[in-house]
């Protein structure tokens, strides 16, 4: 997968740092900071650059109906002003019918302008032609099976991999599948102090190790690094998927390795 097909989701405050990184300059930037407020498109502080993608999220949205076409006019004007290369509908809640109508309006605008609209599976039925973000964090089965199923449902051209590096410590038996999420620093300290033998799961495309806690309870740690993220990208490419989304803050330190490896 060519790193020119990477999309890096960035906060306005990160734009300067991102543009200073050579691998990042080859990618498309997607900008956080766009919200729905009072039925209008609102952009946060910090001007996004030209040629990227606005990420429209529903954080703080009250779910109340609004004038969809007026909102669509706001979006179309922003896309034109920024010479945008696409738009991302990052809607977490699924209980607001107006967001389904919004997804449909975004799909209409994207089609008129010849731009891709990216969204999640829950909103794909309301957004004809949208490209669908499929997460890389697989709890069971295999990443390849998940991607194959998505490609069969949507076609490979409409699937984009959302890379979500995992760092989770599970106390066994983890019957409910829940574990403690680790920060990058916490994982680094564990690897340094324990020097565990790590293994690679070809199904999950992630590394793991086990250890015994002071309370004598066994733990299973599942984690990603540059090599496993690169393998996720290879699996996606083998399925015909050509675009990968990243949260810049999660992969800033491994971008160079990823571009060299894929």
């Amino acid at each position: 997968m060519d790193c020119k097909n990477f999309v890096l989701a960035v906060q306005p405050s990160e734009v300067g740092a991102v543009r200073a990184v050579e691998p990042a300059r080859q990618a498309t930037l997607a900008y956080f900071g766009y919200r729905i407020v009072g039925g209008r498109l609102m952009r946060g502080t910090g001007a996004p650059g030209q040629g990227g993608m606005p990420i429209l999220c529903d954080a703080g949205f009250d779910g109340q109906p609004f004038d969809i076409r007026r909102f669509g006019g706001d979006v179309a004007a922003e896309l034109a002003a920024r010479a945008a290369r696409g738009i991302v509908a990052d809607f977490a809640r699924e209980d607001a019918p107006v967001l389904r109508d919004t997804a449909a309006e975004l799909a209409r605008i994207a089609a008129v302008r010849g731009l891709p609209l990216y969204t999640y599976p829950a909103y794909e039925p309301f957004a004809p032609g949208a490209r669908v973000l499929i997460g890389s964090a697989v709890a069971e089965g295999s990443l390849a099976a998940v991607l194959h199923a998505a490609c069969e449902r949507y076609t490979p051209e409409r699937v984009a991999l959302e890379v979500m590096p995992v760092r989770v410590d599970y106390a066994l038996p983890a019957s409910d599948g829940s574990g403690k999420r680790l920060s990058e620093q916490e994982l680094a300290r564990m690897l340094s102090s324990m020097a565990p033998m790590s293994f690679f799961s070809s199904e999950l495309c992630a590394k793991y190790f086990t250890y015994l806690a002071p309370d004598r309870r066994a733990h299973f740690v599942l984690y990603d690094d540059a090599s496993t993220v690169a393998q996720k990208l290879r699996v996606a490419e083998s399925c015909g998927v050509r675009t990968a989304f990243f949260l810049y803050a999660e992969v800033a330190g491994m971008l160079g390795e990823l571009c060299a490896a894929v």
Side-chain angles (χ1 to χ4, degrees):
M1 184 181 295
D2 195 314
C3 57
K4 292 179 181 178
N5 294 328
F6 290 179
V7 179
L8 302 178
V10 300
Q11 298 290 345
S13 60
E14 296 173 326
V15 173
V18 173
R19 288 176 177 157
V21 179
E22 175 57 36
R25 287 202 288 268
Q26 301 180 56
T28 296
L29 300 187
Y31 301 99
F32 287 111
Y34 290 90
R35 298 184 300 125
I36 304 169
V37 178
R40 306 304 298 263
L41 177 68
M42 299 297 291
R43 175 164 48 84
T45 57
Q50 297 291 104
M53 299 186 194
I55 300 175
L56 176 62
C57 74
D58 59 351
F61 177 56
D62 59 13
Q64 295 301 307
F66 56 83
D67 186 332
I68 297 293
R69 282 303 177 99
R70 185 179 68 173
F71 178 79
D74 291 347
V75 172
E78 182 68 9
L79 294 176
R82 300 292 171 190
R85 299 174 60 181
I87 186 168
V88 183
D90 183 14
F91 298 156
R93 61 185 297 174
E94 301 176 17
D95 60 347
V98 68
L99 288 179
R100 300 169 194 161
D101 295 336
T102 302
E105 176 66 3
L106 294 176
R108 184 191 68 80
I109 293 169
V112 168
R113 301 187 65 86
L115 299 174
L117 166 67
Y118 295 89
T119 192
Y120 291 98
Y123 281 91
E124 185 274 339
F126 312 103
R131 300 183 188 183
V132 186
L133 293 164
I134 302 297
S136 68
V138 178
E140 57 185 26
S142 72
L143 176 61
V146 168
L147 289 174
H148 276 301
C151 289
E152 286 184 5
R153 181 173 182 180
Y154 306 116
T155 73
E157 295 76 15
R158 292 182 56 213
V159 173
L161 180 67
E162 183 181 32
V163 179
M164 302 179 293
V166 295
R167 291 185 296 269
V168 186
D169 184 344
Y170 298 95
L172 301 178
S175 55
D176 61 356
S178 63
K180 176 189 174 186
R181 294 189 179 276
L182 302 171
S183 69
E184 188 174 354
Q185 294 73 24
E186 287 174 321
L187 175 63
R189 284 196 295 270
M190 292 177 75
L191 292 172
S192 175
S193 62
M194 297 179 182
M197 179 176 291
S198 291
F199 302 90
F200 176 71
S201 166
S202 58
E203 290 80 16
L204 303 180
C205 293
K207 290 181 178 179
Y208 65 92
F209 64 87
T210 59
Y211 71 94
L212 201 62
D215 63 2
R216 311 302 295 172
R217 190 171 182 182
H219 284 243
F220 174 88
V221 178
L222 187 69
Y223 70 97
D224 276 313
D225 60 15
S227 68
T228 61
V229 172
Q231 183 59 26
K232 293 177 197 288
L233 297 175
R234 294 188 193 100
V235 169
E237 187 169 32
S238 73
C239 296
V241 177
R242 295 290 182 264
T243 304
F245 273 67
F246 303 85
L247 183 63
Y248 174 73
E250 290 278 355
V251 298
M254 61 176 76
L255 270 179
E257 292 178 74
L258 293 179
C259 284
V262 297

